[in-house]
Amino acid sequence: MAPKLPIFLDNHSTTPVDPQVLEAMLPYFGAVFGNAASRSHVFGWKAEAAVTEARETLAGALGAAPKEVVFTSGATESNNLALLGAARAYRRKGNHVVTSVAEHNAVLDPCRQLEREGFEVSYLLPDRTGMTSAAAVEAALTDRTVLVSLMAANNEIGTLNPIGEIGRVCKLRGVLFHTDASQSFGKVPIDVNAMALDLVSITAHKLYGPKGAGALYVRSANPRVKLLPLLHGGGHEMGLRSGTLNVPGIVGFGAAVRLALRQREAEQKRVAGLRDRLHRGLNERLEGVTLNGHPTERLAGNLNVAFPYVESEPLMMDLKEVAVSSGSACTSASLEPSHVLRSIGLSDELAHSSIRFGIGRFNTEEEIDYTLERLAELVPKLRARSPAWQVAQGAPKIAAS
Ligand SMILES: *Cc1c(COP(=O)(O)O)cnc(C)c1O
């Protein structure tokens, strides 16, 4: 059966709001419109009750206490609050921060800001699979280190970091550990105590919730994490994030998390099955496809591959009816190769030949098969135009004669 076009295979950039999530949100745009900070009437109480329920849901999913969940506008804000807020608060203890070159810009840019404020930042290079080991983190710690920030799952290549092991190393050395769990939350189990996490950034729109709703987990005991707020105003969210709460967004976040947890195992299995079908199909139909990232320790829905001798930009132009993302021009319109692909040792050529497929809840087998058919047709066509491919094809014959 032909799938409906266009096809969305870019579920790492964002995800559609699940219809059940939308349903849960709708009353909070209408009848239940109160300000959750209004203490003097029922409009406010109802809004506050809804926020409390969502806070409990998120805390439960993290293994945390509700008062440790601070609502924000998304993971960019959560990362900024974690990095700038913690580093500035612990400045007297030390001025060294450890992170990785493969992090999202929402971690790297606050780190550059900290450097401008006089902090020293160590940017670790991941291994060839995109992973940063606890041993590498341990080796980078000094007496001046106050904070380590490493993502739970990479947004380009899907590689999972051993955050529990890293958390234990940090705990032993008395260093705070922040993880950006935007991509893995609700998909890969997380427990802030078992994994010794002090700060965790999450966002609703990567999990079939609305855009503009996020949260930061902030440990309240063993140790109690101090943060300097970025926003000053009404003292909302335990004084850590002033501003009227986005009640519909928060309700949607809670509903999205409940839905994700309820079907997690079955959904992850189904999504991984579609991802493996795509990967197998590409290997069967095309020569020389190479996997970027870790073969097993990665997100179920992630497939980042290079098609050598094909540039991803023209390939994506020809494949307009399938939404994917290139490994080369990620956040901006620049044609700089992806900093993540470079960090795992890809040449500029291979980075410019890479495509990220992000498979999610609403994708079907028909969509995967359609995408396979189109790539099997387009890749050889584009390769035939590449002089380097012709040389590469000819080379073995010359060598053999
Ligand atoms: C999407 C994403 C972000 C940014 O989240 P927003 O909620 O869009 O601000 C940060 N980090 C990672 C790893 C992401 O995938």
Side-chain angles (χ1 to χ4, degrees):
M1 202 181 78
K4 196 165 151 281
L5 300 179
I7 294 168
F8 188 70
L9 287 185
D10 197 17
N11 285 280
H12 298 305
S13 68
T14 192
T15 54
V17 172
D18 190 291
Q20 292 182 61
V21 170
L22 179 62
E23 196 65 28
M25 290 172 71
L26 285 175
Y28 296 88
F29 289 107
V32 200
F33 62 83
N35 185 328
S38 297
R39 293 281 157 81
S40 53
H41 51 68
V42 68
F43 296 88
W45 302 334
K46 280 192 175 164
E48 197 202 4
V51 168
T52 298
E53 193 188 337
R55 202 187 297 281
E56 286 167 357
T57 298
L58 266 59
L62 292 159
K67 65 172 182 202
E68 298 177 307
V69 174
V70 174
F71 285 113
T72 66
S73 63
T76 299
E77 186 189 335
S78 298
N79 287 345
N80 273 266
L81 178 56
L83 286 149
L84 301 175
R88 289 168 181 167
Y90 288 87
R91 171 116 220 193
R92 264 185 295 148
K93 193 175 164 231
N95 70 338
H96 181 229
V97 174
V98 176
T99 186
S100 145
V101 295
E103 292 292 308
H104 193 278
N105 278 319
V107 163
L108 294 174
D109 279 345
C111 283
R112 289 182 199 113
Q113 174 58 28
L114 287 173
E115 288 185 276
R116 286 190 286 274
E117 296 177 15
F119 286 86
E120 257 179 62
V121 182
S122 297
Y123 299 92
L124 302 180
L125 197 61
D127 68 18
R128 290 250 161 182
T129 69
M131 201 180 275
T132 299
S133 69
V137 173
E138 186 157 31
L141 299 179
T142 74
D143 325 337
R144 306 285 297 154
T145 313
V146 288
L147 178 66
V148 170
S149 179
L150 288 165
M151 66 208 321
N154 187 277
N155 51 297
E156 288 192 38
I157 54 179
T159 301
L160 306 176
N161 273 325
I163 54 168
E165 289 170 31
I166 296 168
R168 281 187 283 283
V169 161
C170 292
K171 189 158 191 73
L172 279 173
R173 296 285 295 264
V175 172
L176 295 179
F177 180 38
H178 165 250
T179 191
D180 176 350
S182 301
Q183 292 288 344
S184 68
F185 184 60
K187 298 167 189 150
V188 182
I190 189 167
D191 185 299
V192 294
N193 291 317
M195 297 174 167
L197 309 173
D198 298 307
L199 294 156
V200 182
S201 300
I202 54 179
T203 186
H205 78 99
K206 304 286 174 75
L207 194 64
Y208 313 97
K211 293 162 185 64
L216 179 66
Y217 159 76
V218 184
R219 176 170 291 282
S220 68
N222 306 312
R224 177 185 175 79
V225 176
K226 283 179 291 178
L227 292 181
L228 291 184
L230 304 177
L231 301 182
H232 304 272
H236 308 75
E237 298 298 279
M238 288 72 71
L240 291 175
R241 204 278 186 179
S242 287
T244 299
L245 287 176
N246 168 11
V247 178
I250 289 167
V251 167
F253 199 173
V257 171
R258 277 193 293 280
L259 203 54
L261 293 189
R262 208 182 305 143
Q263 60 198 55
R264 180 168 65 208
E265 275 182 42
E267 175 165 299
Q268 293 308 296
K269 212 168 132 204
R270 194 188 76 86
V271 165
L274 292 177
R275 188 264 317 271
D276 294 342
R277 182 183 183 92
L278 179 59
H279 193 191
R280 226 180 308 117
L282 290 174
N283 279 331
E284 280 165 12
R285 285 160 214 237
L286 296 166
E287 277 178 73
V289 177
T290 57
L291 178 71
N292 299 323
H294 198 286
T296 54
E297 291 299 299
R298 65 182 156 140
L299 292 171
N302 180 274
L303 183 68
N304 190 317
V305 287
F307 300 97
Y309 306 104
V310 176
E311 284 192 46
S312 50
E313 293 297 326
L315 179 57
M316 289 192 304
M317 288 298 264
D318 286 352
L319 191 66
K320 266 198 270 315
E321 74 281 22
V322 182
V324 292
S325 143
S326 120
S328 56
C330 75
T331 41
S332 61
S334 85
L335 285 179
E336 281 289 295
S338 142
H339 70 277
V340 174
L341 296 180
R342 293 302 310 277
S343 80
I344 59 170
L346 260 67
S347 64
D348 279 7
E349 284 76 27
L350 269 191
H352 279 304
S353 299
S354 294
I355 290 204
R356 176 185 72 180
F357 300 91
I359 298 160
R361 179 176 295 167
F362 300 106
N363 291 123
T364 64
E365 218 163 73
E366 288 71 33
E367 290 178 332
I368 298 298
D369 292 346
Y370 176 91
T371 304
L372 270 173
E373 291 304 325
R374 290 287 287 138
L375 285 165
E377 180 188 318
L378 288 171
V379 169
K381 215 168 76 191
L382 288 167
R383 265 185 186 160
R385 289 191 216 140
S386 155
W389 170 253
Q390 288 157 16
V391 170
Q393 289 304 95
K397 283 180 212 134
I398 293 163
S401 68

